[in-house]
mmCIF file of all heavy atoms in Angstrom:
data_model
loop_
_atom_site.group_PDB
_atom_site.id
_atom_site.type_symbol
_atom_site.label_atom_id
_atom_site.label_comp_id
_atom_site.label_asym_id
_atom_site.label_seq_id
_atom_site.Cartn_x
_atom_site.Cartn_y
_atom_site.Cartn_z
ATOM 1 N N MET A 1 0.753 -1.110 -0.034
ATOM 2 C CA MET A 1 0.006 -0.012 -0.009
ATOM 3 C C MET A 1 0.951 1.273 -0.014
ATOM 4 O O MET A 1 1.840 1.331 0.746
ATOM 5 C CB MET A 1 -0.832 -0.045 1.248
ATOM 6 C CG MET A 1 -1.910 1.036 1.169
ATOM 7 S SD MET A 1 -3.004 0.665 2.657
ATOM 8 C CE MET A 1 -4.531 1.118 1.937
ATOM 9 N N MET A 2 0.511 2.195 -0.852
ATOM 10 C CA MET A 2 1.352 3.405 -0.957
ATOM 11 C C MET A 2 0.927 4.510 0.084
ATOM 12 O O MET A 2 -0.215 4.642 0.341
ATOM 13 C CB MET A 2 1.267 4.021 -2.344
ATOM 14 C CG MET A 2 1.881 3.183 -3.530
ATOM 15 S SD MET A 2 1.583 3.657 -5.070
ATOM 16 C CE MET A 2 2.097 5.307 -5.032
ATOM 17 N N SER A 3 1.882 5.221 0.497
ATOM 18 C CA SER A 3 1.396 6.414 1.417
ATOM 19 C C SER A 3 0.850 7.479 0.489
ATOM 20 O O SER A 3 1.036 7.505 -0.594
ATOM 21 C CB SER A 3 2.594 6.808 2.179
ATOM 22 O OG SER A 3 3.520 7.524 1.362
ATOM 23 N N ARG A 4 0.276 8.498 1.195
ATOM 24 C CA ARG A 4 -0.322 9.572 0.483
ATOM 25 C C ARG A 4 0.741 10.437 -0.229
ATOM 26 O O ARG A 4 0.555 10.827 -1.356
ATOM 27 C CB ARG A 4 -1.091 10.406 1.509
ATOM 28 C CG ARG A 4 -1.848 11.610 0.780
ATOM 29 C CD ARG A 4 -2.331 12.729 1.750
ATOM 30 N NE ARG A 4 -1.157 13.360 2.405
ATOM 31 C CZ ARG A 4 -0.337 14.313 1.824
ATOM 32 N NH1 ARG A 4 -0.602 14.609 0.651
ATOM 33 N NH2 ARG A 4 0.619 14.816 2.511
ATOM 34 N N VAL A 5 1.856 10.621 0.431
ATOM 35 C CA VAL A 5 2.916 11.427 -0.192
ATOM 36 C C VAL A 5 3.555 10.664 -1.456
ATOM 37 O O VAL A 5 3.806 11.237 -2.364
ATOM 38 C CB VAL A 5 4.046 11.669 0.898
ATOM 39 C CG1 VAL A 5 5.232 12.340 0.256
ATOM 40 C CG2 VAL A 5 3.547 12.476 2.006
ATOM 41 N N GLN A 6 3.633 9.274 -1.323
ATOM 42 C CA GLN A 6 4.093 8.571 -2.441
ATOM 43 C C GLN A 6 3.131 8.545 -3.542
ATOM 44 O O GLN A 6 3.425 8.664 -4.765
ATOM 45 C CB GLN A 6 4.360 7.158 -2.076
ATOM 46 C CG GLN A 6 5.547 6.961 -1.208
ATOM 47 C CD GLN A 6 5.686 5.524 -0.662
ATOM 48 O OE1 GLN A 6 4.699 4.821 -0.544
ATOM 49 N NE2 GLN A 6 6.894 5.212 -0.274
ATOM 50 N N LYS A 7 1.910 8.683 -3.349
ATOM 51 C CA LYS A 7 0.811 8.544 -4.264
ATOM 52 C C LYS A 7 0.518 9.967 -5.017
ATOM 53 O O LYS A 7 0.437 9.981 -6.182
ATOM 54 C CB LYS A 7 -0.574 8.097 -3.633
ATOM 55 C CG LYS A 7 -1.611 7.725 -4.678
ATOM 56 C CD LYS A 7 -2.763 7.002 -3.828
ATOM 57 C CE LYS A 7 -3.884 6.605 -4.769
ATOM 58 N NZ LYS A 7 -4.954 5.975 -4.093
ATOM 59 N N PHE A 8 0.509 10.942 -4.184
ATOM 60 C CA PHE A 8 0.090 12.250 -4.688
ATOM 61 C C PHE A 8 1.303 13.343 -4.671
ATOM 62 O O PHE A 8 1.038 14.375 -5.160
ATOM 63 C CB PHE A 8 -1.063 12.917 -3.826
ATOM 64 C CG PHE A 8 -2.262 12.059 -3.873
ATOM 65 C CD1 PHE A 8 -2.705 11.363 -2.830
ATOM 66 C CD2 PHE A 8 -3.010 11.997 -5.073
ATOM 67 C CE1 PHE A 8 -3.838 10.585 -2.780
ATOM 68 C CE2 PHE A 8 -4.190 11.194 -5.129
ATOM 69 C CZ PHE A 8 -4.588 10.502 -3.963
ATOM 70 N N GLY A 9 2.385 12.954 -4.097
ATOM 71 C CA GLY A 9 3.464 13.905 -4.012
ATOM 72 C C GLY A 9 3.400 14.752 -2.735
ATOM 73 O O GLY A 9 2.612 14.465 -1.771
ATOM 74 N N SER A 10 4.173 15.784 -2.595
ATOM 75 C CA SER A 10 4.264 16.622 -1.352
ATOM 76 C C SER A 10 3.005 17.396 -1.196
ATOM 77 O O SER A 10 2.184 17.613 -2.105
ATOM 78 C CB SER A 10 5.476 17.465 -1.331
ATOM 79 O OG SER A 10 5.391 18.513 -2.557
ATOM 80 N N SER A 11 2.720 17.791 0.001
ATOM 81 C CA SER A 11 1.600 18.583 0.275
ATOM 82 C C SER A 11 1.518 19.949 -0.498
ATOM 83 O O SER A 11 2.528 20.495 -0.637
ATOM 84 C CB SER A 11 1.341 18.816 1.785
ATOM 85 O OG SER A 11 2.369 19.691 2.208
ATOM 86 N N ARG A 12 0.297 20.315 -0.735
ATOM 87 C CA ARG A 12 0.203 21.635 -1.439
ATOM 88 C C ARG A 12 0.512 22.843 -0.544
ATOM 89 O O ARG A 12 1.136 23.747 -0.915
ATOM 90 C CB ARG A 12 -1.294 21.801 -1.831
ATOM 91 C CG ARG A 12 -1.465 23.071 -2.691
ATOM 92 C CD ARG A 12 -2.889 23.507 -2.999
ATOM 93 N NE ARG A 12 -3.713 22.291 -3.441
ATOM 94 C CZ ARG A 12 -4.930 22.469 -3.812
ATOM 95 N NH1 ARG A 12 -5.525 23.638 -3.660
ATOM 96 N NH2 ARG A 12 -5.624 21.518 -4.243
ATOM 97 N N GLY A 13 0.139 22.751 0.792
ATOM 98 C CA GLY A 13 0.533 23.838 1.656
ATOM 99 C C GLY A 13 1.965 24.071 1.788
ATOM 100 O O GLY A 13 2.421 25.236 1.832
ATOM 101 N N ARG A 14 2.778 23.017 1.811
ATOM 102 C CA ARG A 14 4.139 23.176 1.779
ATOM 103 C C ARG A 14 4.723 23.862 0.658
ATOM 104 O O ARG A 14 5.507 24.712 0.671
ATOM 105 C CB ARG A 14 4.767 21.819 2.117
ATOM 106 C CG ARG A 14 6.309 21.760 2.179
ATOM 107 C CD ARG A 14 6.755 20.443 2.158
ATOM 108 N NE ARG A 14 7.939 20.288 3.117
ATOM 109 C CZ ARG A 14 8.520 19.200 3.289
ATOM 110 N NH1 ARG A 14 8.229 18.123 2.724
ATOM 111 N NH2 ARG A 14 9.605 19.182 4.235
#
Side-chain angles (χ1 to χ4, degrees):
M1 191 172 214
M2 294 174 55
S3 70
R4 187 198 59 80
V5 174
Q6 290 173 337
K7 192 173 184 180
F8 299 108
S10 65
S11 68
R12 183 191 310 183
R14 181 185 218 181

